[in-house]
Amino acid sequence: MIETRKGINHIALVCRDMKETVDFYTGVLGMPLIKTVELPDGGQHFFFDCGGGSSVAFFWWKDAPAMAPGIASVKDFPYDAKTAVGSMNHLAFHMDEADLEASLDKLEAAGVPHTHAVVNHDDSQMGVAKDMHEGVFVRSVYFTDPNGIMMEFAAFTKDFTPEDVRHEPARMDA
């Protein structure tokens, strides 16, 4: 077995404008730019420190394929959040629960599209609850970056136990 429990080194995404992306990740999200690379094909690859030894990296190419909402990215969260097999649905950053409310104000002040309330995820049929209760396992704020990538600030509210794993994995052919 390969040891993979040291965390994520980085996730690599694609942006439409590197300057706009640098301004957003450094200025709005406060992630230091830690490495830049000029690629031999004229592109760029930049890395941002997102804490805990992990990075968010972006590729940029002048001739990159166009955005594909509803295929490669979320089209309209929470109403149409499905994305294609092999795509990235969203990227969640750990945040302390006490900081979630303040993040809403900061996103609003920066003009970033976002949910206008903290979302309480639970095991109900809808998967969310209006109010905090003992069944809420994660609280979230969702927003999009300048590239249309859905992001999340997430705070787990409980430690998981074996009882939290109770669903059989679905099969395409079933």
Side-chain angles (χ1 to χ4, degrees):
M1 180 183 305
I2 298 171
E3 175 59 42
T4 60
R5 295 197 36 142
K6 293 184 180 181
I8 303 262
N9 179 283
H10 71 276
I11 183 166
L13 306 168
V14 178
C15 66
R16 65 178 181 193
D17 182 298
M18 190 61 85
K19 173 70 169 110
E20 179 183 51
T21 299
V22 168
D23 291 347
F24 181 81
Y25 282 83
T26 61
V28 176
L29 297 185
M31 294 182 186
L33 181 61
I34 57 172
K35 176 67 177 164
T36 63
V37 177
E38 291 288 334
L39 301 173
D41 61 3
Q44 294 183 318
H45 191 33
F46 285 21
F47 292 76
F48 302 87
D49 180 353
C50 65
S54 299
S55 300
V56 176
F58 280 89
F59 284 100
W60 172 85
W61 296 280
K62 188 173 189 171
D63 60 350
M67 292 172 54
I71 298 170
S73 63
V74 172
K75 186 173 186 176
D76 184 21
F77 182 81
Y79 310 105
D80 189 357
K82 290 180 186 174
T83 55
V85 171
S87 69
M88 185 191 77
N89 187 274
H90 69 279
L91 177 60
F93 299 105
H94 175 72
M95 180 176 277
D96 291 333
E97 186 178 1
D99 296 330
L100 288 172
E101 291 290 340
S103 76
L104 292 168
D105 295 335
K106 291 177 182 175
L107 291 169
E108 185 72 27
V112 176
H114 64 285
T115 53
H116 293 277
V118 175
V119 178
N120 299 305
H121 298 274
D122 65 6
D123 288 324
S124 67
Q125 185 174 356
M126 291 300 296
V128 295
K130 183 175 189 242
D131 298 312
M132 182 64 185
H133 62 83
E134 69 179 32
V136 171
F137 60 89
V138 66
R139 302 187 77 214
S140 304
V141 170
Y142 293 92
F143 58 99
T144 54
D145 85 342
N147 306 292
I149 298 169
M150 190 167 79
M151 305 277 177
E152 175 185 6
F153 293 138
F156 285 125
T157 60
K158 62 176 260 176
D159 292 328
F160 295 113
T161 67
E163 289 76 38
D164 287 302
V165 180
R166 59 181 179 268
H167 302 91
E168 287 297 318
R171 297 289 312 232
M172 180 58 90
D173 58 358

